[in-house]
Amino acid sequence: MHQKVLILDFGSQYTQLIARRVRELNIYSEIIPFDKAPKDFSDFSAVILSGSPFSVRSDQAPSPDLSGVKGKLPLLGICYGAQFLAENFGGKVEASNTREYGRARLKYIEEKDEFFSGISPNAQVWMSHSDTITALPNGARLLASTHDVQHVAYAFEGEPTYAIQFHPEVYHTTEGTQLLKNFLVTIAGLKQDWTPNAFIEETVDALKTQLSDDRVILGLSGGVDSSVAALLLHKAIGERLHCIFVNNGLLRKNEFESVLEQYKGFGLNVKGVDASQRFLSALQGVEDPETKRKIIGKVFVDVFDDESKQVEQAKWLAQGTIYPDVIESVSASGGPSVTIKSHHNVGGLPDYMKLKVVEPLKSLFKDEVRRVGAAMQMPPELLGRHPFPGPGLAIRILGAISADRVELLQEVDAVFIEALKREGLYDKVWQAGAILLPVKSVGVMGDERTYESVVALRAVESTDGMTADWVDLPYAFLQEVSNTIINRVKGVNRVVYDISSKPPATIEWE
């Protein structure tokens, strides 16, 4: 059994990044909402308190009982967590005169403390809070300050309890990973043994126990997630895994045929099901994005229900659900963070479908899935494939969906993706695609007026999809792609490029 870190979630937008940073250290972590904290913490080797949109001075502020943790387990409070420890153990927290947000520099470090071992005295950190600690709690000593904030880091004497006002998990805290390593490895003494190979071995063993001699149906998409899930299940149950690739009519150009060919070399038992008309008919006239997702989810389940009846003794439906899907659909482990959008492959099945769900990847971020795939020697071209949304082009066609609009967007998308690959840009982009907008614009071709569709191109860089930034593609490249799309794809006379980051936008438009 691996040692585990409990991340107590107070609703911070960064909680999932804490988990990811801990896992990058090859240490397993779990996120649990503050209001579902366990009474017995014996399963955990360290605890981290997250940030929060709440103020500790508010009557509605999260206030968990830490009597089973503080002084008994290594404990790290981050932002709200640091303020909570101060407020509840003899310190004082007050509203700041100014909101403390953005980059800052550590100007004082207690160099003898191993918590800051290897950290530059002038290290850059990231602040995001409107309250400030004006008095340290009883028995605490100051470790670090910045120009504007006195009590940036402190520790309790005689116990492994530390608190920091900044966020070590975000990119802008340049030495945040080292700080977390100091706390978890040096101070807490945790072993760094949660590796891709360990995950594979343990997951395969768990699947063998969970599935026994049952047969499993898996929906393949051609993407990394479902592919890695398929290989894990194949290792566990072999030919009792029945893979089904559904053509929902919303895939990329020629993707249905190419994906089926790709999986033949994997030794998987794969069946292709063309249900495109079924999906497109159900989506006819629908414009609302959430309604689209729910319709696609329902038809997806219906198709698998039909197919499951053709597989004797099929009792399980396997899905390539990953952690960001779960987070955005139901918030972190059911915690207080806000639901952004639903995902078609997250949640339970309807009563009439006699299949149980198995999701071997639901605790992994996208980058972790790729590392697991690499450890199983999956081809680089498949591991490097851009993520593609489960609902497919349905959420890249804003407004009503029709076969004609799908075909138009498939052609545009093909031009864009082929150009990225040809120019050596594909592997430098985390995800790229085209969006068909629900507007038309006036144009001129030759001496004739046109009134045709507008498409947007989207390319982002990210590591796990939780945050993303737009890619600064060369102007010459965008010019060439735009000209090719307008000249080759009938019905498009204008191309725009999306330069929005996540947050505040999402990667997909719907």
Side-chain angles (χ1 to χ4, degrees), residues 231 234 238-239 241 243 262-270:
L231 289 186
H234 185 68
E239 288 300 312
L241 173 65
C243 298
Q262 187 177 45
Y263 283 118
K264 287 181 179 178
F266 282 14
L268 299 176
N269 181 12
V270 185

Side-chain angles (χ1 to χ4, degrees), residues 230-251:
L231 289 186
L232 284 169
L233 285 158
H234 185 68
K235 279 179 173 287
I237 64 174
E239 288 300 312
R240 286 183 284 113
L241 173 65
H242 295 259
C243 298
I244 300 169
F245 178 50
V246 176
N247 181 9
N248 59 11
L250 302 163
L251 303 174

Side-chain angles (χ1 to χ4, degrees), residues 135-182:
L136 291 179
N138 298 329
R141 69 182 188 279
L142 183 66
L143 298 181
S145 303
T146 66
H147 182 271
D148 297 317
V149 183
Q150 182 181 4
H151 303 118
V152 164
Y154 64 89
F156 285 83
E157 295 284 2
E159 62 182 75
T161 301
Y162 290 78
I164 50 178
Q165 187 61 83
F166 56 90
H167 289 271
E169 69 273 24
V170 302
Y171 172 79
H172 298 295
T173 297
T174 54
E175 300 178 55
T177 300
Q178 179 63 46
L179 194 72
L180 289 172
K181 182 178 180 181
N182 290 344

Side-chain angles (χ1 to χ4, degrees), residues 201-408:
E201 181 179 346
E202 292 162 16
T203 300
V204 169
D205 287 344
L207 288 170
K208 288 179 178 178
T209 301
Q210 180 183 12
L211 302 175
S212 186
D213 294 327
D214 294 343
R215 295 184 182 275
V216 179
I217 298 175
L218 168 67
L220 286 171
S221 68
V224 176
D225 303 334
S226 65
S227 301
V228 172
L231 289 186
L232 284 169
L233 285 158
H234 185 68
K235 279 179 173 287
I237 64 174
E239 288 300 312
R240 286 183 284 113
L241 173 65
H242 295 259
C243 298
I244 300 169
F245 178 50
V246 176
N247 181 9
N248 59 11
L250 302 163
L251 303 174
R252 285 175 162 154
K253 185 179 179 181
N254 299 326
E255 190 169 31
F256 183 55
E257 296 78 11
S258 63
V259 166
L260 285 176
E261 287 297 320
Q262 187 177 45
Y263 283 118
K264 287 181 179 178
F266 282 14
L268 299 176
N269 181 12
V270 185
K271 178 182 178 180
V273 179
D274 188 354
S276 54
Q277 289 304 314
R278 194 167 173 177
F279 280 88
L280 292 174
S281 296
L283 289 165
Q284 187 174 3
V286 177
E287 297 187 7
D288 178 71
E290 276 297 289
T291 305
K292 288 180 185 178
R293 288 176 178 271
K294 290 175 181 176
I295 289 173
I296 290 169
K298 182 182 184 305
V299 177
F300 175 80
V301 170
D302 290 344
V303 170
F304 270 82
D305 186 39
D306 293 342
E307 293 301 323
S308 69
K309 294 172 182 176
Q310 301 179 38
V311 180
E312 188 178 351
Q313 296 181 335
K315 295 183 179 180
W316 297 86
L317 173 64
Q319 294 180 313
T321 307
I322 63 172
Y323 203 26
D325 296 336
V326 177
I327 293 165
E328 290 193 342
S329 293
V330 295
S331 80
S333 302
S337 48
V338 177
T339 296
I340 306 299
K341 58 189 176 184
S342 64
H343 286 259
H344 80 289
N345 59 342
V346 177
L349 295 172
D351 293 337
Y352 68 80
M353 189 171 180
K354 306 304 180 184
L355 291 176
K356 295 175 286 187
V357 173
V358 56
E359 298 170 311
L361 305 178
K362 67 179 181 180
S363 66
L364 298 185
F365 289 103
K366 177 69 76 172
D367 55 326
E368 293 175 318
V369 174
R370 286 198 169 102
R371 288 200 291 271
V372 169
M376 291 193 292
Q377 299 182 334
M378 289 181 65
E381 60 271 18
L382 180 54
L383 284 176
R385 189 178 185 222
H386 290 180
F388 188 65
L393 298 181
I395 58 171
R396 293 183 180 177
I397 297 174
L398 277 58
I401 296 172
S402 67
D404 290 342
R405 299 191 81 203
V406 171
E407 184 178 358
L408 184 149

Side-chain angles (χ1 to χ4, degrees), residues 425-444:
L425 296 169
Y426 184 83
D427 291 335
K428 299 178 181 179
V429 173
W430 192 76
Q431 183 171 341
I435 300 94
L436 178 58
L437 306 187
V439 296
K440 292 188 176 182
S441 70
V442 174
V444 58

